[in-house]
Amino acid sequence: MARTIAPAYDPQLIEPKWRAAWKQAGLFRVVEDPAKPKFYNLVMFPYPSGPLHMGHFRNYVIGDALARYKLMRGFNVLNPFGWDAFGLPAENAAIKSGIPPRVSIEGNIAISKHELEIMGVLYAWDREVTTCNDDYYRWTQWLFLKFYEMGLAYKRTAAVNWCPKDNTVLANEQIVNGVCWRCGTKPTKKELDQWFFRITAYAQRLLDDLRKLDRWPERVRVMQANWIGRSEGAELDFAVEGQDTALRVFTTRPDTIFGVTFMVIAPEHPLVATLATPDQRKDVDAYIERTRAATEIERLSTEHEKTGVFTGAYAINPYTQERIPVWVADYVLATYGTGAIMGVPGHDARDFAFATTYRIPNREVISATGEAQATPLTAAFESYDGRLVNSGPYNGLSCKDGFERIAADAERRGIGKRTITYRLRDWLISRQRYWGVPIPMIYCPDDGIVPVPVTQLPVLLPAEVKFRSDGQNPLVHTDAFVNTTCPRCGTPARRETDTMDTFVDSSWYYLRYTSPHDGTAPFDKAKADFWMPIDQYIGGIEHAILHLLYSRFFMKVLFDAGMVSVDEPFGALFSQGMIQRKGAVMAKSKGNGVAPDDMVARYGADTARVYELFIGPPELDAEWNDRGVDGVARFLNRAWRLVVGEEEAPASGEGQLTGADLRRKLHETIDKVTRDIDAFRFNTAVSALMELTNLMQDYIQGGGARDEAWDAVCRDLARLLAPFAPHLAEELWERLGGAPLCALASWPVVDQSELRRSTVTVVVQVDGRLRDRIEIPAGAGEADALALARRSANVERVLEGRPVTRTIFVADRLINLVTR
RNA sequence: GCGGGCGUAGCCGAAUUGGUACAGGCGCACGGCUUAGGACCGUGUGGCGCAAGCCAUAAGGGUUCGAGUCCCUUCGCCCGCACCA
């Protein structure tokens, strides 16, 4: 036989060809087809910030592999992509460089699209959504108006972070190390009129429905539950001595009511003004002034020492009639509960710390033993396991019973009630920024706040504005935008100049994908109903709370509005780990990124893709290893040589594998790869394919023939490779005479009969210790297997004639002879 | 502090869910090919031991015929929330 030189595996030669073929075939161009099972596959859309690196690509590769696999499994796969294109970075770049945000965003989108393309990552580009385009944001505005109509969008005054030098509001993220990120000034609090979404109205449903999300990572569900932060407790009224007013507190421990030795109200509490006695007023005012200067971050820090000031006022404990001093302290938050607490230093660590500082006594009212101690407590006993002491008629009750009885008595006496409080706050969506969706509201001197009629949408964001060096929203100074007329009375009026938080844009984009060109509604209900919920959502853990919670909230609101038929958007969620290199997360700013263009030029897209999948369990962070990429390149090269090569095998003859061995390994691999992809174990799927090619190599080296049966194995190898190394798979598929496209071929099916073995290796243990391995006929019964095992010389020697008292038999696997 | 998770070769990591610990890859060693190569191909590779064998999944204990896997204690690391009454 003539020795022929197999063409070398050259990704540069084959990859562009197949990308063109996929484009022509329109792999993910889909319509609603009830005849096929649907699969809505979605990767979180990115902010187009410029060139991507291989760290970004991990989830795109995972998503692409899954989409391709589902396609081969016969699903009708919706696999769209888009751009979260509004937001601060583009606006800041514009202030700095003068390049309009839209221009830089479009440039960045073009770069990212090119990178996705050369990596062989495919999407339904005919459904592309870009949030800064008016054919999208008009519907964001439409939805805002819907929320407004439903009473879920409202405006109120709220304290925000304010930079006195830049004369602007700062988002929490814009406070770096306690100071303004731009000028280094310490921000203060300022009361401003802001738009909110009433997400708190959905707190309980958002909490309850976490139970439905059994295909979400546990940690994400826990984080959301903690964020919502449900607390059961009671509100109780304390009459203020000498005043016709009551101080209402929220507590989760009404059972400790007899342990109250002081009370605290937040500095922002409305009663502060009237509560302070004349001789204490000066101190109180000074304290409030001081805390106002403190940032939220400082205030919320546990390191922050507790401070406070006595108001001079006393409240009356409604259960003991004791006089209780009322303090003002900033460890109590005005925005949680009632903004006032009862201080129980004996049973709350924070109250204990405060009481220690100001020499306020503590009183034990819960005792683990049921007996009160003779001496004061030296630390807060916060346990719920104990009995009430020093608590008058409630003595001896368990905490739970004490809670119930004391709360019930308060309700009967009309001085309180059981309540449930959430940590979740309403969602502040106002941004004093240009590059976002204009809030479609108008301020009329006569009619007040008037929504823009939906027929007048979109409220267009002006393309030309003058950016200001002081960071102020340029929309405020754009007269052509601001000046309008009242839709109700026609008199001159002003537009709202705030824009929406970009998280509003991303809370519903997945619905727009189902009917991206609809000119009459945000989305077509029938189409949304067909595709929703998303079958697999893939994205970074950094969105565990905000984006995912907001989207869940949106979906529930739209469900209540009758616009969708499911009330959870994401059926399954996967959060991939980050890629690190040189000891840090891969990032542009760290200079440790690997560019996809470089990877494609050096190794080809397939090697880059397979390496990203092979690098480790996809949910864990992984270290990028340049040498590891070489290993994957070797693997794909081997696959190529096995299929395309025609070299004569070196006649080793030893350890020759049979065709049955080859086919068994193939079907074991089909089985494993299929199960691994379904379980998101791409790393082990790739290693299974490596094992297969290693065995194929052994087969050929042992003198195995490249006959028709071999070719059949090769065709299945190509199909198994297709989700991971799609270009190579196509090339192999074509050379093997496969039908038009491997990407459209059906996924290989396991032939159970090929998995069968005539003999199996069974482990023989004596007292649980491995003593021998024996080859026995597959499916042998206990008696036969045992007889064969006892023939082992090794086993006999170890037994030394000791009687076997018991035997454990696991068919085709293990025999354990027990002598004790 | 509260909550979630993790700890297996020199490194990244497998382990059919209680049944042969370390698959696959990196690295390393040796060999082949080569003018040469850090390229490519092949073979080997947990430790101790001549061997039988013994030891080994953070440490210690327990349950079990059998534990990386289940339970308890301790140590270490990562992530989230963090004065939420």
Side-chain angles (χ1 to χ4, degrees):
Chain A
M1 188 203 260
R3 190 186 173 99
T4 53
I5 307 292
Y9 169 46
D10 184 355
Q12 314 308 330
L13 219 56
I14 63 173
E15 291 187 350
K17 177 172 74 175
W18 293 111
R19 287 202 283 271
W22 295 326
K23 195 177 266 182
Q24 174 127 33
L27 291 192
F28 292 110
R29 214 175 290 140
V30 288
V31 292
E32 297 70 31
D33 177 2
K36 279 204 278 183
K38 68 98 181 175
F39 190 85
Y40 189 170
N41 185 59
L42 190 63
V43 174
M44 288 179 187
F45 69 165
Y47 177 81
S49 62
L52 301 172
H53 54 65
M54 294 309 293
H56 296 120
F57 260 96
R58 194 178 197 185
N59 63 358
Y60 303 137
V61 170
I62 290 170
D64 189 64
L66 188 67
R68 289 171 175 274
Y69 166 74
K70 290 291 181 181
L71 197 64
M72 294 178 78
R73 290 293 301 266
F75 285 88
N76 192 21
V77 181
L78 178 60
N79 188 40
F81 202 75
W83 310 96
D84 190 14
F86 271 134
L88 269 179
E91 183 169 347
N92 289 332
I95 293 167
K96 223 178 192 172
S97 67
I99 301 168
R102 184 167 296 279
V103 173
S104 63
I105 285 292
E106 282 172 0
N108 288 340
I109 287 175
I111 293 167
S112 298
K113 266 188 175 174
H114 162 76
E115 289 166 328
L116 290 164
E117 157 120 25
I118 61 168
M119 285 290 287
V121 174
L122 304 178
Y123 293 110
W125 286 112
D126 56 323
R127 292 171 182 266
E128 182 178 5
V129 158
T130 307
T131 58
C132 67
N133 290 350
D134 60 30
D135 65 353
Y136 182 81
Y137 74 68
R138 68 175 293 188
W139 300 115
T140 307
Q141 292 172 335
W142 190 97
L143 290 167
F144 176 94
L145 294 172
K146 188 81 187 168
F147 277 48
Y148 183 74
E149 179 191 311
M150 293 170 76
L152 295 171
Y154 67 95
K155 197 172 197 195
R156 73 167 156 86
T157 306
V160 294
N161 299 304
W162 180 261
C163 176
K165 180 151 180 260
D166 284 351
N167 210 27
T168 186
V169 166
L170 298 172
N172 280 337
E173 308 81 52
Q174 290 165 346
I175 300 170
V176 180
N177 298 327
V179 298
C180 173
W181 64 327
R182 202 182 293 112
C183 65
T185 309
K186 199 166 150 183
T188 61
K189 291 280 167 194
K190 186 162 176 172
E191 300 276 310
L192 278 184
D193 247 9
Q194 305 279 301
W195 285 98
F196 287 85
F197 279 161
R198 206 179 298 279
I199 192 172
T200 52
Y202 284 74
Q204 191 61 50
R205 277 165 73 186
L206 288 167
L207 184 65
D208 289 343
D209 288 353
L210 287 172
R211 275 194 288 268
K212 291 189 200 166
L213 304 177
D214 58 332
R215 294 175 64 217
W216 280 38
E218 170 74 10
R219 63 172 168 159
V220 175
R221 281 183 293 164
V222 168
M223 280 162 72
Q224 291 215 350
N226 291 342
W227 187 263
I228 295 165
R230 178 190 156 105
S231 288
E232 291 184 34
E235 289 183 1
L236 301 170
D237 287 333
F238 285 58
V240 179
E241 188 184 61
Q243 292 188 29
D244 188 21
T245 173
L247 195 51
R248 172 156 281 212
V249 301
F250 173 71
T251 178
T252 55
R253 296 299 301 270
D255 49 311
T256 63
I257 185 83
F258 284 74
V260 175
T261 54
F262 64 96
M263 300 187 70
V264 180
I265 62 174
E268 299 87 353
H269 196 287
L271 280 182
V272 166
T274 53
L275 219 49
T277 54
D279 52 324
Q280 286 296 106
R281 158 123 2 241
K282 228 168 86 180
D283 288 354
V284 169
D285 286 348
Y287 181 76
I288 290 168
E289 195 49 47
R290 200 141 40 85
T291 57
R292 186 171 297 161
T295 66
E296 187 88 5
I297 291 159
E298 281 171 356
R299 238 184 104 172
L300 293 184
S301 164
T302 24
E303 312 303 323
H304 185 53
E305 201 169 316
K306 289 183 176 50
T307 58
V309 63
F310 179 46
T311 62
Y314 288 86
I316 304 299
N317 184 328
Y319 287 78
T320 66
Q321 307 309 317
E322 289 168 293
R323 288 176 84 221
I324 311 288
V326 180
W327 291 63
V328 178
D330 70 352
Y331 82 92
V332 171
L333 307 173
T335 48
Y336 183 78
T338 61
I341 63 153
M342 56 186 216
V344 185
H347 302 283
D348 182 282
R350 298 153 304 181
D351 295 345
F352 188 89
F354 185 80
T356 303
T357 303
Y358 293 101
R359 302 212 171 82
I360 298 169
N362 71 61
R363 182 187 300 159
E364 180 187 32
V365 291
I366 305 291
S367 163
T369 61
E371 300 291 325
Q373 284 177 207
T375 53
L377 296 168
T378 52
F381 178 65
E382 293 188 307
S383 173
Y384 207 67
D385 292 320
R387 303 214 161 255
L388 272 61
V389 294
N390 294 326
S391 296
Y394 305 101
N395 276 340
L397 293 177
S398 69
C399 290
K400 185 171 178 293
D401 292 343
F403 181 120
E404 289 303 325
R405 288 273 301 279
I406 289 166
D409 287 348
E411 285 174 355
R412 196 170 33 74
R413 291 166 60 191
I415 55 158
K417 60 174 188 193
R418 272 173 270 225
T419 56
I420 294 159
T421 298
Y422 302 90
R423 300 176 58 174
L424 185 69
R425 309 292 162 77
D426 274 342
W427 175 12
L428 194 166
I429 62 149
S430 281
R431 293 292 180 273
Q432 290 73 38
R433 285 285 174 171
Y434 160 70
W435 191 237
V437 182
I439 294 175
M441 285 288 172
I442 290 168
Y443 300 99
C444 170
D446 300 328
D447 293 317
I449 299 177
V450 181
V452 173
V454 292
T455 51
Q456 288 176 25
L457 296 181
V459 175
L460 283 174
L461 188 67
E464 298 279 331
V465 293
K466 266 175 72 182
F467 289 103
R468 303 167 58 89
S469 55
D470 62 6
Q472 260 199 51
N473 183 356
L475 285 179
V476 174
H477 305 278
T478 308
D479 293 344
F481 176 79
V482 173
N483 296 327
T484 183
T485 53
C486 172
R488 271 191 206 144
C489 65
T491 58
R494 303 184 76 248
R495 281 194 193 283
E496 172 63 79
T497 54
D498 283 359
T499 56
M500 291 184 223
D501 180 2
T502 56
F503 278 107
V504 179
D505 308 348
S506 56
S507 290
W508 73 281
Y509 75 109
Y510 49 88
L511 288 165
R512 185 67 181 170
Y513 284 140
T514 65
S515 45
H517 309 296
D518 197 306
T520 62
F523 52 88
D524 179 300
K525 179 167 194 292
K527 289 181 175 172
D529 284 348
F530 180 87
W531 293 109
M532 293 297 288
I534 290 158
D535 295 280
Q536 184 64 60
Y537 199 33
I538 303 170
I541 190 71
E542 67 273 19
H543 294 112
I545 293 175
L546 295 182
H547 164 60
L548 294 172
L549 192 65
Y550 294 151
S551 295
R552 294 182 58 221
F553 163 57
F554 254 67
M555 202 67 186
K556 290 184 190 306
V557 172
L558 298 178
F559 177 82
D560 289 350
M563 294 175 65
V564 293
S565 301
V566 292
D567 65 352
E568 283 289 339
F570 313 122
L573 174 70
F574 183 81
S575 293
Q576 81 283 353
M578 286 184 285
I579 298 214
Q580 329 222 26
R581 185 159 172 261
K582 296 175 181 168
V585 170
M586 215 183 256
K588 192 158 60 173
S589 61
K590 302 250 172 55
N592 61 352
V594 175
D597 290 85
D598 293 345
M599 287 297 293
V600 170
R602 179 147 178 221
Y603 294 99
D606 286 336
T607 295
R609 291 170 58 108
V610 173
Y611 180 62
E612 293 240 296
L613 295 170
F614 184 60
I615 193 165
E619 69 278 12
L620 300 182
D621 287 357
E623 174 76 18
W624 182 278
N625 176 354
D626 293 332
R627 306 294 293 271
V629 181
D630 291 323
V632 168
R634 279 193 278 272
F635 157 58
L636 295 183
N637 251 299
R638 166 174 287 182
W640 172 272
R641 284 198 315 275
L642 285 167
V643 177
V644 178
E646 294 166 29
E647 303 102 296
E648 287 173 74
S652 79
E654 234 177 294
Q656 202 177 52
L657 295 165
T658 66
D661 292 329
L662 183 63
R663 287 195 305 279
R664 185 188 314 117
K665 187 66 181 178
L666 170 69
H667 286 276
E668 283 170 358
T669 307
I670 294 171
D671 186 44
K672 171 133 183 79
V673 171
T674 305
R675 282 187 289 112
D676 279 352
I677 296 177
D678 286 333
F680 265 70
R681 288 192 297 246
F682 298 101
N683 53 326
T684 50
V686 172
S687 33
L689 288 167
M690 288 173 168
E691 280 188 58
L692 174 61
T693 53
N694 289 351
L695 186 130
M696 288 170 74
Q697 175 91 4
D698 290 346
Y699 175 80
I700 290 296
Q701 289 198 327
R706 286 189 151 99
D707 52 13
E708 174 47 39
W710 167 264
D711 282 350
V713 173
C714 290
R715 275 192 292 273
D716 279 353
L717 172 65
R719 288 192 289 171
L720 292 172
L721 278 170
F724 312 130
H727 312 81
L728 172 63
E730 293 291 356
E731 186 70 20
L732 300 180
W733 184 248
E734 184 185 56
R735 284 168 183 267
L736 291 160
L741 279 175
C742 190
L744 293 170
S746 64
W747 188 249
V749 176
V750 177
D751 181 344
Q752 294 294 335
S753 69
E754 295 287 5
L755 294 177
R756 252 175 250 136
R757 293 164 178 273
S758 55
T759 63
V760 289
T761 305
V762 167
V763 168
V764 184
Q765 298 178 335
V766 175
D767 294 331
R769 299 192 69 99
L770 175 68
R771 294 302 173 185
D772 205 355
R773 296 183 173 89
I774 57 173
E775 271 304 293
I776 66 169
E782 179 162 2
D784 294 343
L786 215 55
L788 291 164
R790 305 263 342 208
R791 252 184 252 165
S792 160
N794 223 16
V795 169
E796 187 138 320
R797 193 178 47 71
V798 174
L799 281 175
E800 285 174 338
R802 276 178 295 161
V804 173
T805 57
R806 195 179 155 194
T807 59
I808 309 289
F809 174 73
V810 183
D812 289 349
R813 188 156 231 146
L814 167 140
I815 294 161
N816 189 8
L817 306 172
V818 185
T819 68
R820 43 190 156 86

